[in-house]
Structure formats: C-alpha cells, structure tokens
Amino acid sequence: MATLIDPDFRARLRALNDKYAAGVPALLQAIAQARARCDAEGPRLEPLTDLHRALHAVAGSAATFGFAALGQECRRIEQLVRTLLNEPGQALAEWPAVGVQVGALLRWAERDAAATHFSA
C-alpha cells in the first residue's frame, strides 16, 4: 500500500532549519554570558548551572538542525561543566581549563557554527 507524501514536508523542514540557524547567535550569546559570569564570579553553583543549561540546550538540539559538530562539542564541554558541578571542591582549580575550552568553542562557532568538524 502506498503512503501519501506531504509535498510541503521539505519546505517545512527547511524553514525549521533556517529558524534554528537564525537563533544560533542567541544560543552562543547565552553560553558566552554564562562563561563571563563564571570568569567574573568564579565557578560557583549559579553561574556554572547557567553555563551547563546553555550548553545543554545546544547539545540537545544542534544535530537535529544540521549543526552536528557544534552539538557534539557543546555536549563534550557540558560534561566537563557537569563534573565541576558534581565536584565543587575541584571547580576552582579546573575552571580555567574549562573556560579556555568554552572560549575556543565560541571562537570556532563564530567563524562557522555549521562546520562539520570542530577545530579550535
């Protein structure tokens, strides 16, 4: 039995992808702001939680809309931030290295967030 194919499916999918792409700068801005708070206030619970949420939001959605490398790198750094949240005694010592990685992510994404491979 043949199934009907929605003729507008590809157009709607393209529109969703375009909408997500248009929102990527705001997602990256949220990551940058959370990182700046961690730098300014220290890797305390609230700014680290904000950073974790911002990274998680991108990690969970980026690949769906054609930003697989961005999503993978956000997921990797999200896991590092989760470690800092779970081990607060280590956060102060380990934050500088994590902060550098967040900065590298942001610089790369600013150049081409849709790139297929992350390169710092």
Side-chain angles (χ1 to χ4, degrees):
M1 172 186 230
T3 59
L4 296 175
I5 297 175
D6 181 355
D8 297 326
F9 173 76
R10 292 201 190 286
R12 285 197 308 269
L13 186 58
R14 199 169 24 259
L16 287 172
N17 287 346
D18 291 346
K19 183 177 179 179
Y20 186 86
V24 167
L27 295 170
L28 296 175
Q29 182 64 27
I31 293 170
Q33 289 173 341
R35 176 191 176 218
R37 282 191 63 209
C38 288
D39 287 340
E41 301 172 24
R44 295 180 310 107
L45 178 62
E46 187 179 328
L48 279 174
T49 299
D50 289 346
L51 179 59
H52 182 267
R53 283 185 188 133
L55 289 163
H56 182 76
V58 178
S61 62
T64 301
F65 297 102
F67 293 81
L70 176 63
Q72 290 169 351
E73 189 60 12
C74 283
R75 175 78 66 214
R76 185 186 71 75
I77 297 173
E78 173 199 7
Q79 291 170 349
L80 296 174
V81 172
R82 186 178 314 126
T83 299
L84 298 182
L85 286 167
N86 290 333
E87 300 174 16
Q90 300 283 338
L92 192 58
E94 293 182 22
W95 168 249
V98 174
V100 166
Q101 292 179 57
V102 174
L105 164 73
L106 292 169
R107 285 187 301 279
W108 168 80
E110 186 176 288
R111 288 190 309 270
D112 185 6
T116 58
H117 294 88
F118 174 79
S119 61

